[in-house]
Amino acid sequence: TSGAVNIEAVFELKDNETLSDLLNYAGGLSKDFLGDSLSLNRIEDDTYTAINVSVDQLSKFVIRNNDSLYAINSSFGIVELIGQVKNPGKYLIGGNDTILSIIERAGGYLPNAYPYGSLLYTEKAKKIEEENFNRFYNELIRFLVSGGTSTTSQQSTGLQSSLPLLLADIKNAESSGRVQAEFDLIKIKSDPSKNTFLSDGDKILISKYENLVYVYGAVASPGAYEFESGSSPMDYINKSGGHLKYAEPQNAILINPNGVSAMIKTNGLSFKTLAGDKIDVYPGSLIYVPRELGAVKGLSYASVWAPIVSSLALSIASLNAIND
């Protein structure tokens, strides 16, 4: 049972007991219950069905193995769950529903699910992304109009060739609305603070494990390459044909499968994070090599270019996951 009941839990019932008995075990309906019916989630012949059952009809439904009963809260909405779960689809949620409760209502993960690479998308995050891309674009336009220049003629040439392309990337970037969240159910159960609450319109994608690493940006052959344990970001960049003439591999971005991004630097031989930590590349990671922009008067890489490049890289990683 879940939703507007006094005890949300899994119960063991006897043969011929009904939904009414199940509701009694759950302590009855809570004060947050809305409406006059409950949602019975049932699996028949490997097919998931949701049945609306009015309160006065609960005693007429005999309980079956793996049935779940959901009572609508006063605050409710719909989330979409797709990917590697036993029963994907759209689920009605209440104000207390979380990633854990929805995954459990969907019957749990399939054997090839990849929780570390799974994703949560929200409308709020999508709106913030769109606002950030518009802000980046307008700030760069204002900078150019004000007469911003690079410090050397060589850097000016690189900037003049790369900046229009960067502006086009920002203008055409698609906001995904991805939110970093924990999908390891064991970790969530051991630390409830990692259990993300859901809102109306949220979308959850449970990824399928794939032994691939993605390389995009200013490289010869962007695409997916087979994951090899112990390989560095430069190994994958080399597999993609190497970086292009106006690339900045020393300012590459690594997007882990869970959405956490890190700027990486190289001494020509190896990659590390800006903090000096060793880089680990996981299956499903994405490496993004930006175009060369050079040092520009009035604009520092850390304060301006890095957030833009990171946002573009994360957008590519999210949309790549959706398309797969």
Side-chain angles (χ1 to χ4, degrees):
T1 60
S2 60
V5 293
N6 288 307
I7 303 174
E8 293 187 297
V10 177
F11 298 95
E12 183 176 354
L13 277 74
K14 299 176 182 178
D15 291 340
N16 297 320
E17 289 194 280
T18 66
L19 293 180
S20 180
D21 296 318
L22 175 59
L23 186 60
N24 288 335
Y25 289 131
L29 297 168
S30 71
K31 62 181 180 180
D32 296 326
F33 175 65
L34 179 69
D36 56 6
S37 64
L38 295 85
S39 176
L40 168 62
N41 301 306
R42 172 169 286 178
I43 300 174
E44 295 181 291
D45 299 324
D46 295 325
T47 300
Y48 166 81
T49 58
I51 306 168
N52 287 328
V53 182
S54 62
V55 174
D56 57 3
Q57 295 291 313
L58 292 175
S59 61
K60 297 182 179 182
F61 281 78
V62 175
I63 203 75
R64 298 183 186 179
N65 189 39
N66 292 322
D67 277 358
S68 63
L69 192 63
Y70 180 77
I72 302 173
N73 286 336
S74 57
S75 174
F76 67 96
I78 295 176
V79 299
E80 184 176 9
L81 176 61
I82 60 176
Q84 304 305 301
V85 292
K86 293 181 180 178
N87 299 290
K90 293 184 178 180
Y91 285 82
L92 201 62
I93 62 166
N96 295 321
D97 270 308
T98 62
I99 285 178
L100 176 61
S101 67
I102 291 299
I103 299 300
E104 289 182 336
R105 284 168 61 189
Y109 293 139
L110 293 175
N112 56 357
Y114 189 32
Y116 186 57
S118 297
L119 309 101
L120 169 64
Y121 302 95
T122 73
E123 289 299 319
K124 182 178 179 180
K126 184 175 182 179
K127 183 177 180 180
I128 292 173
E129 281 184 33
E130 291 173 347
E131 291 173 349
N132 283 337
F133 279 129
N134 288 334
R135 178 172 58 82
F136 291 149
Y137 184 83
N138 291 331
E139 285 181 355
L140 286 176
I141 292 295
R142 284 196 295 269
F143 171 76
L144 293 174
V145 170
S146 67
T149 58
S150 56
T151 56
T152 69
S153 59
Q154 182 179 359
Q155 289 169 340
S156 179
T157 301
L159 180 66
Q160 290 172 1
S161 63
S162 298
L163 193 51
L165 297 175
L166 177 63
L167 287 170
D169 285 346
I170 298 172
K171 190 68 173 177
N172 298 325
E174 296 184 49
S175 301
S176 66
R178 181 173 181 174
V179 175
Q180 184 188 342
E182 181 62 69
F183 286 90
D184 186 320
L185 302 188
I186 295 176
K187 291 182 178 179
I188 291 175
K189 290 177 181 178
S190 63
D191 183 359
S193 67
K194 297 181 183 295
N195 196 12
T196 303
F197 283 92
L198 300 174
S199 300
D200 181 38
D202 287 355
K203 183 176 181 179
I204 298 172
L205 169 61
I206 305 303
S207 299
K208 179 180 179 181
Y209 179 84
E210 292 185 326
N211 202 42
L212 298 172
V213 172
Y214 302 88
V215 184
Y216 286 97
V219 295
S221 299
Y225 297 89
E226 185 176 0
F227 169 78
E228 293 184 7
S229 180
S231 292
S232 70
M234 182 57 80
D235 292 328
Y236 292 105
I237 291 173
N238 289 335
K239 286 182 180 181
S240 71
H243 56 80
L244 301 178
K245 180 178 179 180
Y246 291 114
E248 285 195 346
Q250 71 274 18
N251 288 317
I253 302 289
L254 173 69
I255 307 292
N256 288 323
N258 65 348
V260 176
S261 63
M263 288 188 62
I264 49 181
K265 62 179 181 180
T266 178
N267 59 10
L269 298 175
S270 63
F271 275 86
K272 293 184 178 181
T273 66
L274 295 183
D277 301 322
K278 181 179 178 295
I279 290 290
D280 290 318
V281 181
Y282 300 95
S285 294
L286 182 142
I287 299 164
Y288 181 80
V289 180
R291 297 184 181 94
E292 180 184 23
L293 291 169
V296 183
K297 289 180 179 178
L299 294 177
S300 70
Y301 191 93
S303 64
V304 178
W305 301 138
I308 294 174
V309 172
S310 295
S311 296
L312 288 173
L314 187 56
S315 175
I316 292 171
S318 298
L319 294 171
N320 181 70
I322 294 175
N323 293 332
D324 286 345

